[in-house]
Amino acid sequence: MKLELRGVTKRFGSFTANDRISLTVEPGEIHALLGENGAGKSTLMNTIYGLYAPDEGEIRLDDEPVSFNGPGDAVAAGIGMVHQHFMLIPVFTVTESVALGYEPTRAAGIMDMKQAREKVLEISGRFGFDVDPDARIEDLPVGAQQRVEIIKALSRDAKVLILDEPTAVLTPQETDELITIMGQLRDSGTSIVFITHKLREVRAVADRITVIRRGAVVGETTPKSTETELAGLMVGREVNLTTAKEPAVPGDVSFSVQGLTVLSPMDKVVVDNVDLEVRRGEILVIAGVDGNGQSELAQAILGIREPVAGRILLDDQDLAPLSVKQRLAAGLGFVPEDRSTDGVIGAFTVTENYVLDMYDTAPYAGGPGNVALRLPVMRKAAQTQAERFDVRMGSVDAPISTLSGGNQQKVVLAREMSRDLRLFVASQPTRGLDVGSIEFVHRTVIEERDKGTPCVIVSTELDEALNLADRIAVMYRGRIVGIVPVTTSRDVLGLMMAGVPLEEAKQQAATHHTMLSEADEMAEAEENK
Amino acid sequence: MTDSGSQPGTSPAQTSKQEGPWAEAEGRLSRALRDLGQTSWLVTVLSVVVALVVGAVLILGANEQVQGSLSYFFAQPTDFLETSFQVLREAYSSLFRGAVFDWQASSVERAIRPLTETMVYSVPLILAGLGIAIGFRSGMLNIGGQGQIILGATSAGFLGYALSLPVGLHVLLALAGGIIGGAIWGGIAGVLKARTGANEVIVTIMLNNIAIYLLAWLLKQEWFKQTGSNQPLSSSVDDSAQLFSLLGPGFRLHAGFLIAILATVFVWWLLERSTIGFEFRAIGENPEAARTAGINVTKATALVLIVAGGLAGLGGAAHVLGTEYRIAGGIAGSLGFDAITVALLGRSKPLGTFLAGLLLGGLRAGGVLMQAQTGTPIDIVLVLQAVIVLMIAAPPLVRTIFFLPRADGRPRLRKNRRRAQAGGADESASRESTLATASSGSAPTTTQEADK
Amino acid sequence: MSQTVETTAVAAESPKNSPTGVRPISWKYPITYAILAVLGLIFALTNPAGGRTHFRMASAGDFFEIPIIELPSRPAGWVLAAVLLALAAFAFRQAARRARTGLWLPLLFGVLFVLAFLVWAGADRGAVIPLVTMLTGALALSVPLIFGAMCGLVGERSGVINIAIEAQLLAGAFLAAVAASVFTNAYMGLLFSPLAGAMVGAVLVFFSVRYQVNQIIVGVVLNVLIIGLTGFLFSTALSDNPGLWNTRQQLPELPIPLLSQIPVLGPVLFDQTILVYLMYVLVAVLNVFLFRSRWGLRTRAVGEHPKAADTVGIKVNRMRVYNVILAGGIAGLGGSFFTIGQGLAFGKEMSAGAGFIALAAMILGRWNPIGAVLAALLFGFSTSLGNVLAAIGTPVPSEALLMLPYVITIFAVAGFVGRIRPPAANGTPYVK
């Protein structure tokens, strides 16, 4: 089916999220939609999927204009979507998830579970998915959940399939599998819209590429374009894909984790006997697919999750008996992974967020037992630091939610860097940020390293890991699979992210290249020419 | 969130640095906030108007004269209108005379007495309302005002007649007992929430009912109830434990009103100027971020409900030591639920809560006279107060009823409620519904309103 | 998406590195059993020597007479205490092996403990413990609780918290009384009562869905509103002309042939009004439909993850509106029990907190129809027991038993009785 957008515009108040976007997806084509975080990709897809009504413009399917009054209409017209955050209900079974909304029923609205089950089996058989129709969604790994989403779309005979950042939660090898599935679907005539901000994937997968920036189409191109060209189009200026940094000058080991084990609230082991050593002036990146225990490890270092075993040592001081507050006071700088839920308090002002972990210490508090806030001191400090970190805002008295994500993250960094640090830990510090902010965060982290602070950065983006790290620790199912130098190849890292030990990963990677790395090599060859 | 935003002397610096949608969002935001400053008062007033209209319908519907005149409405419609007008004027003027100023009174003293009665009724409402408001600001829906008031009143009353102490000390001890009683009752919910995550709504509702049976049991015990009586009623508190009268024997106004004023100032300081309040507000807005920033969420959560319970307990204590003097099964009346109304009406701000307490106290005081003079049952006050809160909670509804334009001046559009994903792009919708729930189910987002 | 994160973590757990042995064994259940068993022992010890406890197993209209059962208090107490201790020991053993115990253990333990208590409480009191009357009373007291809990469940399963069950019961009781009185026919009351509850539900859902007002607050306010409204009308119209508006009407009892003749259980379960039979049907139907029908699947989807439901074309808010109004109707019907179900005229605030106990029953039953019914029966029984004890005069104050449902619920939400997991989107308004 051919999908065509003509001048689609979507506004939220005075903010134009999509500005006269036109694009055409031919039948049996994989069309990549490339753009930075916040460029308006998801808004556009939600508009196609009927979740938003466009303010202007039209959507055409096979040259017929259509208008959707909700996702139900879009699905009926043959559009399927796999959302970035899966639209699955954790307590449902696979069958229930697939049937939802299109339930086969018998008399009195009682569901025909047998028929629903057979449908799941039929589709998963067709594509060789190994999915148990009776498994509960919350018990499935992320890759399998994604397959359930695809089955869901296909069970409604989707002719156009939208995949919104589908590789964010996958290892390179799993991404490979997904690419194979996408190829199968294309060959069977399904049109695919593939949304991403990852240049390498686009070049490996897409038949055609549309780049959008700040809500508008800025170019259409083919996978033949180099990464530099694509990045330039996407960001709107020349970008260095790598941050320049001096080689590390590591000092003594100053931070170490020994035999750390952490349980989830459901008593499952999420961090499994982890040992790490970080030297002064060194960045250790903990790489791995989201949900393999990295977040819990960082939380255990901060102290908001209590380990059941192991030690956390900072300059020979055991952090275990200390509260979060005491750890911060001991020189721990911490940037949490989810800015809006853990990093800042949206309704609080910039000032209040700036002092969020120092509000009860001098000079920000005074009086007996430091019980009274000293607002003028707080404001002044926030003002000064905001200028130093170039935070773009109305005033320090504005709620921080009125700032862009990048500027919010700058406030978080300003707050953490304002103390004398002996250890810096950041969990996914650039998630959801635009390229400019990412560069800023990376520079700030490197500056901190150059001051001699040991840094631990959790990152699920392989690009970021390779860019920032002095050493990379790969984590899988709560364990450290291996700690490797930054010169390690992507394929090896990818296999390690799937739990393959280093030596084995090297062997496998030597014999089997992923499509992504092949595309990479081709690109390098081209650019070298 | 804090008042710091509107502090005098804060100059909006760096406005030139804005760019892109954020600048526009910022501009619209401040405009919306300015509008809100005016419209929220308007909404409050209009909500009261809606409530009075609903009340009028009830009064007329229940009035036999009006029913009579309605039977020949088509023959003589003026009769119906005239009767209705008379009935309503009588009812609402007696409500006013009972609450504010009685121009028909025989002496000046009697004329101003209604206002002092309003103040008397408002004392427990303000105190307990402040407790509820602290909970709201800290993200906790404390439905347990009723139980906390009962415990506060019971402890204070018991200390008031069981002990014999010198004048000043006795009343202070009794008040402290009230605070502790309420704080324990609130603290149970607080500690359970902090330790086990037990939903405070459920726990406080259950504690309310437990408190009722606890009091019922106490009133059957020989050591507790009035000696030599079969009535479930306690002895009267000693003179030494009573809150002293402010205006002399002709009036019931007592020192509890001063306590209410002091508590209002204290709560303001606590929330806006103290580190404890900073923690309260932080856990209310975003407990995850607060925990990450090193705030002891467990301790703060428990403390919120302890403080809230203490205030409600103080309200109960003031009610017994200043007004009732005896403990009976129905000592708390519906004060606990009225206090929720007060906090909502006052938008969880200390001054607002104080004023809302006065308003509701006025309805109570006026309702008494209205019932005495026109036979309108005092239950109507409950209806009025419920309607007021419903209206205030949904400003767009009030706007629709009165054909007002939207807060941001834009025409009313059906599909306008959809929020932007880009942060802060369409806050008008959310900003409008004061009490709209945030992403977490239980925390009332009173902050939208409080931003100004 | 923290859900997904957790999920992978769960999946990540490989069998060989099982976490068992990492967390300490939870001893709270066995300890609870032990404490109660010791209490049973104390009952046995303090039973008067040679004392007798009498149980009446018959009710007035029994087909064949069952004689009053007389138990020697002390031996009976000892036997029961021994069994209780054995059960507690079993619970310890199961906990030590980290094995689960079925639902039978708490049920059996509960029944035996209550028996031990009754034997002790009724020993040498000179009064007969009317067992059937007590059970009939328990069921009767449970009727509004069960209707209320079903109402809460239907609403909350679709994501709308309903604190206004109390208001809906009261409104149902009011309209049932008025309609029955005006038509001088109790069945007309039954017909009208759902309307009252549904109207309250409509207001609740109007404010919480259309204006996204906090659902708990709307609920609390609605309780005040309905108490005020019914109180006002009661004091005016209903008191001015009770003959027209507020005469007593009663639904007749309809004994089911044969079934009602079963000793003990027959008169308790099958000699009831149509309202109780409707309740049986309602519970059965809800239990099937919630888990096996299209409506149920969609309702649960809307309550767990409304956005996901929206993406498959389910109208989330419409679903919530329908469900909450339907639920209101259920509660309204339940409210009619207070007036026409018992043959009483309407009185002020006559629901007396039943709505809150219904809420508690729903939570204790974990949003599951059968669980909620069991919890409601437990609460009804404890109240009935309290009434009986107050009548025969025992050392245990009846207030303690009246408090019991609330105390149990607090323990339940504090996580003592397993993990309570409400629908994930409960209380969250859905805005696209």
Side-chain angles (χ1 to χ4, degrees), chain A residues 12 14-15 43 46 51-53 69 302 304 324-325 328 334 340-342 344-345 347-348 352 356-357 359 365 370-373 375 379 387 392-394 397 402 404, chain B residues 1-2 10 13-14 17-19 21-22 24 26 28-29 269 272-276 278-279 281-282 285-286 288-289 291-295 415 418-422 425:
Chain A
F12 296 105
S14 56
F15 174 63
T43 308
N46 284 332
L51 279 163
Y52 299 139
N69 190 23
L302 177 66
I304 51 179
V324 176
K325 187 158 273 187
L328 296 173
F334 189 87
S340 53
T341 54
D342 300 331
V344 299
I345 297 180
F348 271 27
E352 287 173 313
L356 199 57
D357 55 12
Y359 64 95
N370 275 352
V371 75
L373 297 173
L375 300 183
R379 290 191 69 247
E387 275 163 31
R392 310 284 173 94
M393 60 182 177
D397 299 320
T402 60
S404 71
Chain B
M1 186 82 243
T2 59
T10 58
Q14 287 193 327
K17 277 197 176 177
Q18 295 169 1
E19 54 161 25
W22 311 113
E24 289 179 49
E26 175 60 23
R28 266 181 336 96
L29 178 75
W269 176 84
E272 309 292 352
R273 290 292 182 272
S274 78
T275 51
I276 299 166
F278 188 91
E279 293 181 1
R281 289 184 289 121
E285 289 297 337
N286 185 342
E288 302 309 318
R291 181 177 288 119
T292 306
I295 292 171
K415 292 237 166 180
R418 295 179 170 176
R419 277 183 220 184
Q421 290 176 315

Side-chain angles (χ1 to χ4, degrees), chain B residues 159-249:
Chain B
L159 293 175
Y161 60 75
L163 301 179
S164 317
L165 288 168
V167 175
L169 190 64
H170 198 177
V171 70
L172 284 180
L173 197 77
L175 285 173
I179 293 175
I180 292 168
I184 289 173
W185 221 237
I188 294 174
V191 169
L192 283 177
K193 182 180 176 66
R195 293 255 156 167
T196 70
N199 184 313
E200 77 281 3
V201 175
I202 308 296
V203 175
T204 50
I205 288 175
M206 300 303 141
L207 284 173
N208 284 345
N209 292 299
I210 294 175
I212 291 168
Y213 288 118
L214 187 66
L215 179 58
W217 178 76
L218 282 173
L219 287 173
K220 282 186 194 166
Q221 307 310 306
E222 285 304 326
W223 53 271
F224 188 88
K225 69 176 185 194
Q226 193 179 10
T227 38
S229 159
N230 278 328
Q231 292 295 316
L233 194 68
S234 80
S235 312
S236 187
V237 292
D238 297 351
D239 286 344
S240 56
Q242 293 181 3
L243 285 163
F244 58 87
S245 171
L246 289 181
L247 295 174

Side-chain angles (χ1 to χ4, degrees), chain A residues 49 85 109 111 138 140 267, chain C residues 1 7 23 292 294 311:
Chain A
Y49 195 57
H85 303 296
M111 281 180 57
E138 59 186 354
L140 291 178
D267 281 4
Chain C
M1 275 281 99
T7 307
R23 273 273 157 102
R292 326 193 87 157
R294 171 161 62 194
T311 59

